[in-house]
Amino acid sequence: MQHNKPIIIAIDGYSSSGKSTMARRLAAAVGYRYIDSGAMYRAVTLYALDHGMIDSEGQPDADAIIGALPSIKIDFDVRPDGTQHTMLNGVDVETEIRRLRVSDAVSPVAAIAGVRHALVAMQKEMGCSRGIVMDGRDIGTVVFPDAELKIFVDASAETRAQRRFKELVDKGSAVSYEDVLANVVHRDHIDTTRAESPLRRAEDAIAIDNSHMTLEQQDAWLLERFNEVTAR
Ligand code: DC
């Protein structure tokens, strides 16, 4: 059902908190467009990895990456079944950007101010016609500080690592739970302590800890929040 006055919904939270699933399902339920801003940071990271701009220690060459931004085109291809595929310079990289190789390298890339400024500008542009659900780390604080509905998703590091581990194993990756947990904890640290728009809850965001919620409970909770805002 499409509401008369489309709003912007910002969903922020820690890595693997399930915010993408929440955002995607809410967008489908209310007929909005879903945008995964993390996929954009992942696409830039994939480009940097493939062009030798990240050293063996995982240290990105910020100047080289910023210089390459004009040659990095990111968009989303929406399939008839509603799934979205991230496109990097016209190539479908949806599977590639979810691999541990990219997950391990993405936080330092997302901490580069020049990268953030370019991606935030693209994200603001995507939201100009409203009627979108965007998830990320700084959507309610920096990208859309005026979003009508802001959600901040939390869950313990162990719960999040467990989910991520299951996802990777289901996709056939040979990873250990310990490595996944270490990646989650490491990324939390970088995401919350970086100088440029660190992950934090916007003052007017509604917090939800979904550690013990089923998908259906989450959906119902989100829809209630959406209905409260759009009924005003
Ligand atoms: O949500 P994700 O795990 O796909 O995000 C990948 C990385 O990008 C993560 O390290 C945080 C960063 N990110 C960010 O800094 N700002 C956003 N709006 C989205 C993601």
Side-chain angles (χ1 to χ4, degrees):
M1 152 184 49
Q2 184 83 49
H3 288 260
N4 294 338
K5 190 176 141 279
I7 64 166
I8 290 186
I9 303 169
I11 303 191
D12 289 302
Y14 292 93
S15 60
S16 304
S17 59
K19 57 188 180 330
S20 301
T21 305
M22 287 175 94
R24 193 178 310 114
R25 290 169 69 104
L26 177 62
V30 302
Y32 279 16
R33 177 162 186 222
Y34 163 61
I35 295 162
D36 174 358
S37 69
M40 300 167 73
Y41 290 94
R42 287 171 179 271
V44 170
T45 303
L46 177 63
Y47 183 97
L49 282 166
D50 288 348
H51 289 78
M53 297 171 180
I54 298 179
D55 70 19
S56 55
E57 305 282 286
Q59 203 50 45
D61 181 340
D63 290 340
I65 298 174
I66 293 166
L69 286 172
S71 355
I72 303 179
K73 188 168 160 11
I74 302 165
D75 39 35
F76 296 100
D77 186 23
V78 184
R79 299 291 158 91
D81 66 356
T83 58
Q84 289 207 24
H85 285 233
T86 309
M87 309 294 290
L88 170 59
N89 292 333
V91 177
D92 183 343
V93 292
E94 189 55 39
T95 307
E96 201 59 37
I97 60 167
R98 309 289 164 193
R99 294 194 201 282
L100 209 50
R101 165 179 179 248
V102 173
S103 300
D104 277 340
V106 64
S107 284
V109 174
I112 301 170
V115 169
R116 300 205 69 81
H117 293 162
L119 295 191
V120 166
M122 282 176 63
Q123 289 152 8
K124 284 182 193 271
E125 181 75 33
M126 290 170 169
C128 66
S129 52
R130 309 188 90 77
I132 62 158
V133 184
M134 190 178 288
D135 78 326
R137 303 295 190 288
D138 59 343
I139 311 305
T141 51
V142 175
V143 182
F144 298 120
D146 62 342
E148 289 85 349
L149 178 58
K150 297 182 187 177
I151 308 287
F152 190 85
V153 193
D154 203 358
S156 71
E158 288 74 18
T159 303
R160 291 182 284 123
Q162 203 53 259
R163 287 183 188 148
R164 186 86 196 106
F165 176 63
K166 189 176 175 306
E167 255 172 46
L168 289 165
V169 169
D170 288 349
K171 282 185 196 157
S173 291
V175 288
S176 74
Y177 168 74
E178 286 67 30
D179 283 352
V180 176
L181 178 62
N183 176 264
V184 164
V185 171
H186 182 60
R187 278 209 280 163
D188 284 358
H189 179 74
I190 301 181
D191 294 346
T192 52
T193 58
R194 68 179 177 223
E196 185 73 23
S197 52
L199 169 65
R200 63 175 181 83
R201 178 163 90 84
E203 266 162 33
D204 51 349
I206 308 169
I208 174 176
D209 182 335
N210 63 3
S211 299
H212 305 292
M213 284 173 104
T214 63
L215 274 183
E216 291 69 26
Q217 287 169 334
Q218 262 185 200
D219 290 347
W221 183 90
L222 275 171
L223 210 52
E224 262 176 52
R225 303 288 82 72
F226 176 80
N227 287 332
E228 278 167 10
V229 170
T230 51
R232 274 184 209 145

